[in-house]
Amino acid sequence: MTDYRKAIEPLEPYQPGRPIAAVKKAYGLAEVTKLASNENPYGASPKASAAAIEAMRSPEFYPDGYCADLREAAAKFYGISPDMFVFGAGTDEVISMIAKVFVNPGDECVTAAVTFGQYAAGVTAMGGVMRYAPMKDDGYDLDAIAALVTGKTKIVFITNPNNPTGTSHTDADQRAFIAKIPESVMIVVDEAYAEFSDDPDYPDTLSQIRERGNIMLLKTFSKAYGLAGLRVGFGIAVPEVIRLFEKIRNPFNVSVPAQAAAAAALSDRKFIESTYRKNIEARNYMYRALDDMGISYIPATANFIMARTGGDSDALFTALMKRGYIVRSGAALGMDGYERISLGTMDQMKGFVQALKSALAER
């Protein structure tokens, strides 16, 4: 076998949520509802879909590598300079770029014990070492993360709300945390689920970037904007940091329809507001249903709930698939005994509750 970089040896292939078509085929089902990957059950803005279709009229041309139109739309939306953005094929690619820019073999990075696995994947692939702080009340312990920072630390990763627990921290919490981190350490704040948060004290990370040059904010169009299939996300940082990313970014990394759809999505605030309201309605319904069933859960500010169903997570995951509902087994997320349930439409959640009752009754 051809020799390869031994830094990737510890890595395992990413295991996404099971596809609907595969579950239909495996269990002979006509209808399957996917509640596994925190996607938007209401689809995307009609404006975004129309823009993507229109953009495909000339597929023979390369994308604009600079994402000029999307960059201008995002700059206007967030009220910041256009040179503060780097775009990628989802934030997964931006996370990979972060590791390429900052991590040398042997460097250390810090995050929480239960969080998004792609942070560790990016760091490990570059020969870095990820250190993990313990959780506190199912969420990030920012003090514990800060305590792990040493002279070897290059990056700290924090997610708000956290995936998979759904917990969040406040603006004051984040400011106190940032004050403890040396300016030589890059602080990555992943806000993939921010659009779903109803926390009145949610952090103003943009203002913190203006105050400190060692912060990068991650955003995505995959969740609330409903563009997961088009793969577009971005990072926001001071221009000096963004210039480093432009050195290693793949030249045409965001497709033509993805750029067009993302720019159009930013113009449709009514769609995002509607998604936000419907998500809260579905979340409150699930809280009541789980309470009635005597199932505990982690209160969330995102579009998913970690429910403590007990027992073998994988077995219940399979039992639910047989009934036409795909969730995410807690065992795959380091939380056996839990299931992560993405929030769907009200009809989908009502059907899921009946399937969950049936699956639990057969234990």
Side-chain angles (χ1 to χ4, degrees):
M1 180 178 176
T2 304
D3 198 13
Y4 60 93
R5 293 180 62 246
K6 296 303 185 285
I8 70 170
E9 188 67 34
L11 296 175
E12 295 290 338
Y14 180 75
Q15 298 296 325
R18 291 286 298 276
I20 290 175
V23 173
K24 284 183 177 180
K25 183 177 181 180
Y27 298 106
L29 298 170
E31 295 294 332
V32 170
T33 299
K34 186 181 178 188
L35 303 174
S37 300
N38 307 334
E39 295 148 332
N40 191 334
Y42 310 104
S45 160
K47 293 181 180 180
S49 297
I53 293 169
E54 178 64 25
M56 284 304 296
R57 291 182 180 275
S58 300
E60 69 274 22
F61 295 114
Y62 281 111
D64 172 9
Y66 190 64
C67 297
D69 291 344
L70 173 55
R71 185 178 297 272
E72 288 296 330
K76 180 179 179 181
F77 185 88
Y78 288 102
I80 58 178
S81 173
D83 58 0
M84 293 180 69
F85 295 89
V86 60
F87 295 92
T91 49
D92 290 340
E93 186 186 20
V94 181
I95 290 166
S96 178
M97 285 193 276
I98 290 170
K100 288 179 181 178
V101 169
F102 294 107
V103 179
N104 289 305
D107 286 342
E108 293 183 356
C109 300
V110 183
T111 192
V114 180
T115 194
F116 188 44
Q118 290 305 104
Y119 310 141
V123 169
T124 303
M126 295 307 299
V129 177
M130 184 64 85
R131 300 187 68 193
Y132 298 96
M135 307 298 284
K136 181 179 180 181
D137 299 326
D138 297 310
Y140 270 49
D141 186 338
L142 295 178
D143 289 337
I145 291 176
L148 288 179
V149 173
T150 70
K152 294 182 179 181
T153 306
K154 289 298 182 69
I155 311 169
V156 293
F157 293 91
I158 61 175
T159 313
N160 197 34
N162 183 37
N163 176 20
T165 62
T167 52
S168 63
H169 56 263
T170 68
D171 187 82
D173 292 336
Q174 187 164 296
R175 288 181 180 276
F177 169 75
I178 289 171
K180 297 176 182 178
I181 307 301
E183 294 198 18
S184 59
V185 176
M186 177 56 60
I187 303 167
V188 177
V189 183
D190 188 345
E191 295 187 355
Y193 300 96
E195 288 80 9
F196 297 105
S197 177
D198 54 351
D199 184 351
D201 296 320
Y202 193 82
D204 180 5
T205 306
L206 280 179
S207 70
Q208 293 162 19
I209 290 174
R210 296 185 183 99
E211 297 162 9
R212 290 277 297 266
N214 63 322
I215 302 171
M216 173 166 272
L217 171 61
L218 299 183
K219 293 282 191 178
T220 184
F221 287 94
S222 296
K223 304 304 179 183
Y225 290 98
L227 299 178
L230 291 179
R231 311 306 302 126
V232 54
F234 57 98
I236 300 175
V238 295
E240 293 80 4
V241 169
I242 296 299
R243 282 195 285 270
L244 300 174
F245 283 76
E246 290 302 317
K247 293 175 181 288
I248 54 92
R249 178 182 58 79
N250 291 330
F252 307 110
N253 60 330
V254 182
S255 72
V256 173
Q259 291 186 38
L266 289 174
S267 71
D268 194 350
R269 293 181 185 246
K270 288 184 178 180
F271 176 80
I272 294 299
E273 291 168 1
S274 175
T275 292
Y276 169 81
R277 290 192 303 270
K278 291 174 182 177
N279 182 74
I280 291 178
E281 181 184 13
R283 192 171 69 200
N284 289 338
Y285 168 78
M286 279 303 302
Y287 285 167
R288 293 192 299 270
L290 292 170
D291 287 339
D292 289 343
M293 296 169 68
I295 296 174
S296 63
Y297 51 86
I298 301 172
T301 57
N303 66 329
F304 55 86
I305 297 172
M306 281 298 274
R308 189 174 184 177
T309 50
D312 184 335
S313 291
D314 285 343
L316 181 56
F317 162 74
T318 301
L320 288 166
M321 277 198 298
K322 291 178 179 179
R323 290 163 170 79
Y325 290 89
I326 312 170
V327 297
R328 198 79 157 93
S329 169
L333 303 169
M335 297 183 69
D336 197 17
Y338 287 80
E339 304 290 340
R340 192 187 69 186
I341 306 160
S342 300
L343 296 171
T345 66
M346 283 296 293
D347 285 345
Q348 288 172 338
M349 301 322 296
K350 289 175 181 178
F352 170 75
V353 166
Q354 296 308 310
L356 179 58
K357 289 178 179 178
S358 172
L360 290 173
E362 285 191 0
R363 275 185 170 178

